[in-house]
Amino acid sequence: MTRTRGGFSEPINWHEIFLQIDADGDGLILKSELRQYLLKRPLSEVPLSPGLVDNLLDRVDYNNDGYINLQEFYALVNVPDDPRTRSAVRAALVKAGLSMTPRSQKANADRIYLEEYTCCPPPITIPAFCIAQICVYVYYALELGGVGPYSRVPFNSTLIYDPKRRAEAWRFVSYMFLHAGYVHLLSNCVMAFIVGLPLEIVHKWWRLLLLYLAGVVGGSLAASIIDPKAFLVGASGGVYALIAAHLANIILNWSEMPFNWVRMFALLFVVVTDLVVFFYNTYYEKSPSKISYAAHLAGFISGLLVGMMVLRNLRKLLWETILKWVGFLIYICLIAAAIIVHIFFYEEFSMYPPFEYKDQ
């Protein structure tokens, strides 16, 4: 096959075409991405159906690893089908190679991640949690007689985490629906939208549901051990789990993610800022804080460990798989240890007995 340039015909350099499509230069082209090129590119008189393209790619992917190397690419170019199909495949590959953005401007890996952004289905987990929290806040604000930036907390609510009623296990989750004023509520909701929606658009609703709840549960278990006499309200544990999930996402999809260094520094800025405020209030101001930093830290750790397990890994490597399982096992062990402390070793941590509370 030849292509025309300036009125002259020259042979196709298929190695050059391969290098153009393989924009990240690792010697491999993701088979699913190559499938998209074959189906999207304007072709000659022979249309390539999805079934035909799948069959061709499966035939040349000799090691079934989901990638097409140079040898397999040559096999695709010389696929032993009828000449019209072979010509259509070659035309599609040439158009794909010639239309690629230069590596210095945009890496192939960036496109892999960016193409996963889709609002179908639309994000539902983060909006649903935020709407529920707003509704609960309005209900108790009306019941207690007023809306304010730092309004009263409904200590008698069946949703609040009450350290004397630890046996009512749902409180380790339901406390996230209560907030100490609209400043507390809006800060959590706004942050959840900022950090949660981009994740949910790529990784879908059920993964964000697991992440958020993992942070909420981890936060309440840790806070009740570190500060055993304190009530707990707010969704900060879940929000910090979402922040940490971005770090897990960067770790898993580093080479596929655009602006990875920018994302990493932004996350580090948020974490370092929170730590600086904590140490300033604790050791410099020496003033008691109503903020549960233990819940923040535990939520962050939960989001990191669970995030590596449940978030989508767009290009799986062996070390990433090992890291995912190790992190998940660490999370399970931490949760199990916290539950054991609550049931059997509560006296050692100055916690209230779990089954001795009586309604007044």
Side-chain angles (χ1 to χ4, degrees):
M1 180 178 181
T2 60
R3 62 182 174 187
T4 301
R5 182 181 292 178
F8 297 93
S9 294
E10 59 182 35
I12 297 295
N13 186 336
W14 291 112
H15 190 195
E16 176 187 342
I17 297 298
F18 177 84
L19 293 176
Q20 288 293 330
I21 300 177
D22 176 32
D24 61 354
D26 65 351
L28 298 171
I29 302 173
L30 193 65
K31 187 164 71 172
S32 59
E33 188 176 59
L34 192 56
R35 179 183 187 272
Q36 295 179 11
Y37 289 135
L38 291 172
L39 292 176
K40 287 183 178 179
R41 302 300 171 189
L43 304 175
S44 57
E45 69 280 1
V46 181
L48 296 177
S49 66
L52 175 60
V53 171
D54 290 336
N55 179 265
L56 292 176
L57 293 174
D58 288 340
R59 283 160 54 187
V60 301
D61 184 15
Y62 300 130
N63 54 5
N64 295 315
D65 63 348
Y67 295 90
I68 301 299
N69 59 31
L70 181 58
Q71 178 187 1
E72 294 166 340
F73 186 80
Y74 281 135
L76 180 63
V77 170
N78 298 292
V79 63
D81 281 59
D82 65 273
R84 297 176 65 198
T85 300
R86 185 164 57 249
S87 176
V89 170
R90 292 181 173 185
L93 294 174
V94 169
K95 291 181 182 295
L98 295 179
S99 65
M100 297 295 291
T101 306
R103 298 180 196 180
S104 59
Q105 298 178 22
K106 184 178 182 183
N108 173 62
D110 292 353
R111 293 194 311 277
I112 296 175
Y113 191 85
L114 291 172
E115 287 173 357
E116 297 299 328
Y117 277 95
T118 173
C119 289
C120 184
I124 57 175
T125 296
I126 301 303
F129 275 133
C130 291
I131 291 172
Q133 290 164 6
I134 292 172
C135 291
V136 170
Y137 173 76
V138 171
Y139 171 80
Y140 280 106
L142 295 176
E143 184 179 77
L144 297 176
V147 175
Y150 304 101
S151 52
R152 295 167 56 190
V153 174
F155 289 102
N156 294 324
S157 171
T158 56
L159 300 178
I160 196 171
Y161 173 77
D162 184 340
K164 295 181 179 179
R165 311 184 73 152
R166 293 183 296 106
E168 298 172 347
W170 71 83
R171 294 177 182 268
F172 286 91
V173 177
S174 61
Y175 76 95
M176 70 176 179
F177 294 107
L178 297 174
H179 289 81
Y182 66 72
V183 171
H184 188 202
L185 171 68
L186 292 179
S187 63
N188 278 339
C189 288
V190 170
M191 186 61 69
F193 266 91
I194 292 174
V195 300
L197 283 185
L199 281 175
E200 187 169 351
I201 289 173
V202 173
H203 300 275
K204 308 313 172 189
W205 68 270
W206 65 270
R207 294 183 176 89
L208 270 293
L209 177 64
L210 294 176
L211 273 171
Y212 199 87
L213 293 180
V216 168
V217 172
S220 57
L221 287 173
S224 59
I225 293 174
I226 302 300
D227 193 0
K229 300 299 192 326
F231 287 75
L232 195 63
V233 297
S236 297
V239 172
Y240 272 80
L242 297 179
I243 294 174
H246 275 278
L247 179 58
N249 190 29
I250 293 172
I251 294 173
L252 293 177
N253 298 298
W254 179 266
S255 60
E256 292 80 35
M257 184 176 294
F259 310 113
N260 40 28
W261 283 107
V262 176
R263 295 169 187 255
M264 178 69 76
F265 282 124
L267 284 174
L268 292 177
F269 176 79
V270 173
V271 174
V272 170
T273 300
D274 203 52
L275 289 175
V276 169
V277 172
F278 165 70
F279 284 110
Y280 178 82
N281 290 335
T282 304
Y283 298 104
Y284 184 77
E285 289 289 337
K286 296 182 179 180
S287 59
S289 175
K290 296 182 179 180
I291 300 175
S292 178
Y293 290 100
H296 291 189
L297 179 60
F300 187 90
I301 294 174
S302 299
L304 178 62
L305 298 178
V306 176
M308 288 192 296
M309 186 63 191
V310 303
L311 292 180
R312 298 173 64 192
N313 188 354
L314 301 182
R315 187 170 185 175
K316 296 180 181 179
L317 300 175
L318 178 59
W319 70 268
E320 294 173 337
T321 302
I322 295 174
L323 184 63
K324 289 169 61 173
W325 281 104
V326 170
F328 185 67
L329 289 176
I330 292 175
Y331 174 78
I332 294 298
C333 290
L334 290 175
I335 294 296
I339 293 175
I340 290 173
V341 167
H342 276 77
I343 297 176
F344 300 107
F345 300 100
Y346 53 87
E347 292 182 349
E348 286 80 353
F349 289 85
S350 303
M351 303 169 73
Y352 292 109
F355 300 106
E356 296 185 7
Y357 182 84
K358 295 182 180 179
D359 291 318
Q360 301 298 323

